[in-house]
Amino acid sequence: MAFMGTMLRVNLTDGTIKKDPTPIELAKKYVGGRGLATRLLMNEVDPTIDALSPDNKLIFATGPLSNTNAPTGGRYMVITKGPLTGGIASSNSGGEWGAYLKKAGYDLVILEGKSPKPVYLSVMEDDVQIKDAAHVWGKRVPETTDTLIAESGQKKAKVSCIGPAGENLVMFASIMNEKHRAAGRTGVGAVMGSKNLKAIVVHGNKKSPIPDPNAFRDLVKGKIATIKANGITGEGLPKLGTKVLDNIINENGMYPSRNFQDVMYDGTSHMSGEALVEKGYLKRNSGCYMCPIACARNVELPNGRKGEGPEYETGWAFGPLLGFHDLNVICDANFLCNDLGLDTISAGVTIACAMEMYEKGYIKKEELDNGPELTFGNSEALPYYLYKMAYREGIGDKLAQGSFRFATGYGCPEFSMTCKKQELPAYDPRGVQGMGMSYAVGNRGGDHVRSYLIAPEILGSPEKLDPQAVEGKMQWLFIFQNLTAVIDSSGLCLFTSFALGADDYADMLNAATGFDLTTAQWLEAGERIWNMERNFNLLAGIGPETDTLPRRFFDEPAQRGPNKGKVHRLPEMLPEYYQLRGWNADGTMPQAKLEALGIE
Amino acid sequence: MTVKFFATLKLKLGVASVEVDAEPGLSVGQAIKRAEQSTGRSFWSDIFDKQGKTFPGGMVLLDGANIAHQNGVDTPVGDAETISVFPPAGGG
Ligand code: SF4
């Protein structure tokens, strides 16, 4: 079983709350979490609607392995139509909130309409209520979290909420749970804000029903042992977290700096994961629900500020990408974004875009209202413009739309480092051909976690591929996209896949659900999810012409390092990718493909 | 030439890099052995399996280019200036 069997349907317009049976029969085809929620969104929402209108729906979804003792079984997904790309928005978060939604008795929450006033949803097992949120509207994430936990009367209650950025409809606002954990990307926080929904508070004590709990426990023990024995998940991630990548990616000549104008950054060692330890800022590591890896960093700065992070992407977006490497500034900006509910990647890349435009004369000094100059290396600019974005003040109002709309407004979209209008993460496509393709064809736009080809192309896991090779890469991309869809939908963390393979996930899913599907059938479910998301985008008007990268990566060769002279070779790979997917040569989707995968 | 250490290896050794003599024809593996001697600590088995292949997540770069796509530890250092050594690490 593994499912609680009930989902909540909350209409915020009229305040009705319904408890519907979870359509478990769909789980054989769509697994749960990301897959099942996208299926329901497709059934219920017209992909062409305005993402911030009451017609949109916002779905919080757990997977069958959430709230089990499977390693990392605490994750959840937020699925909606996104404001940033205009296509499928889908964001994953860790912590404990996902497990606690199931402990309260529910697999999913579907939020419809728009509340006439700020509210939050309280889910205390059978007692589910929409409550007034006037007193926390406008408040930052930590204060909101503490206030609502106190109000629930349950010390262990978990809060998922938006900050001021979500309220102000910043197009890359995040949803934060347990203060530091983010459903960060694709602007899901803006959709929550558009519904006048500040938070969802969950608590309960229910267990997920597992057909044979003893057999499941034994199975899971073996998977945990595999994770602990792996060099990446057993040693590298616990000791240094994701920030260990700074030097790795820089030394490999693909660490973008100054808005991707350069592919390396000279001050990396001053702000790297190693520096965080050597400077004594890192106090300890910690983990999400049932996580044997524990990659989270707990940091305390010399100024006394404490918090979690920064992750690799954040450290890069708030440092080298902007031309500086002050770890204090980087960490503080990370804390600020968590408090305000801003996606750190999109925020940093948008500021980098503005810096390049300012240096090149597209933005005039008068537009900055006496604010710090938007020049690379000026660390003073970072917290100032983050704040301006979140509150949509001055030029921050335009920055809050993300770099694509911002740069297009000045007639220079070429400075926006985005795919499908979402900002790119911290791997330069000129240095890693497969990962570049992953950005270009990603269903949620520029993004690294939907097919993390850095694992084979750079880290050599599960085997080492040449990052500059193009032959055979699309087969890897195909498999990684499908497998990741299964992992996300199951309720587990993607980092387990450094140690576990497709058979391991199939084993755990079968044992938890009682289904008897082969690994190939689970992977086919992943393929079905990928195609369904693509179909949502096509119906939303995001066509194959968006399967590309910013011009910079084709026209401006890398200037130094091991990839000197290299550009991205997308035209050599895209036709093969379409062919492997079984799509038409122009990237459109034949009806027969949808039928073959059983997508209604 | 310079042999640079990263991640948990840097923390274990307590130094960021050492200089080693590298005559023409020296292999990457031999240069790393010299770096081991220079630090006084053995770390070969943290990086390489019994066949001399780097563990998943570990890597050795010769002026930024991964030796896995050259001749592994037998790759001659040539006129390269830097070897970068990473124990297994990862993230995203
Ligand atoms: S590996 Fe890190 S992000 Fe993933 S569940 Fe564990 S602590 Fe959370």
Side-chain angles (χ1 to χ4, degrees), chain A residues 72 75 181 286-288 291 293-296 493 495:
Chain A
T72 74
R75 302 192 72 94
R181 294 273 137 193
S286 60
C288 305
C291 179
I293 304 171
C295 77
C493 175
F495 287 172

Side-chain angles (χ1 to χ4, degrees), chain A residues 267-461:
Chain A
T268 303
S269 63
H270 299 290
M271 49 68 68
S272 62
E274 294 90 325
L276 203 62
V277 177
E278 289 159 349
K279 292 181 193 227
Y281 299 172
L282 180 70
K283 295 304 173 198
R284 61 186 175 88
N285 66 329
S286 60
C288 305
Y289 187 80
M290 288 290 167
C291 179
I293 304 171
C295 77
R297 328 282 67 217
N298 292 263
V299 162
E300 184 175 346
L301 298 177
N303 64 12
R305 289 262 293 152
K306 290 183 197 171
E308 272 193 26
E311 298 296 330
Y312 165 67
E313 306 289 339
T314 304
W316 158 81
F318 289 166
L321 183 72
L322 306 177
F324 52 80
H325 51 255
D326 183 329
L327 253 183
N328 280 280
V329 174
I330 292 169
C331 293
D332 257 333
N334 180 42
F335 299 157
L336 180 63
C337 280
N338 287 352
D339 288 4
L340 298 171
L342 276 175
D343 172 34
T344 55
I345 298 176
S346 282
V349 178
T350 298
I351 292 175
C353 170
M355 284 181 167
E356 185 172 356
M357 287 166 56
Y358 185 77
E359 288 195 346
K360 293 187 169 162
Y362 288 86
I363 301 171
K364 301 280 167 271
K365 196 169 187 329
E366 306 79 71
E367 290 183 69
L368 306 185
D369 287 341
N370 280 331
E373 296 222 41
L374 277 165
T375 45
F376 290 110
N378 183 12
S379 61
E380 205 192 342
L382 177 60
Y384 181 85
Y385 291 104
L386 287 174
Y387 190 90
K388 291 281 172 194
M389 275 181 195
Y391 289 96
R392 282 185 169 266
E393 291 171 358
I395 198 170
D397 188 41
K398 288 193 230 172
L399 291 167
Q401 300 177 78
S403 66
F404 183 83
R405 290 173 180 84
F406 180 78
T408 302
Y410 287 84
C412 53
E414 66 273 21
F415 297 124
S416 165
M417 295 299 117
T418 48
C419 285
K420 296 181 174 63
K421 302 187 183 134
Q422 177 162 266
E423 285 70 21
L424 299 182
Y427 313 93
D428 195 294
R430 287 165 291 200
V432 61
Q433 299 292 335
M435 193 70 207
M437 284 302 295
S438 173
Y439 296 165
V441 299
N443 286 334
R444 58 175 205 169
D447 149 77
H448 60 295
V449 289
R450 287 303 162 88
S451 42
Y452 191 61
L453 286 183
I454 295 301
E457 291 189 282
I458 300 298
L459 303 172
S461 171

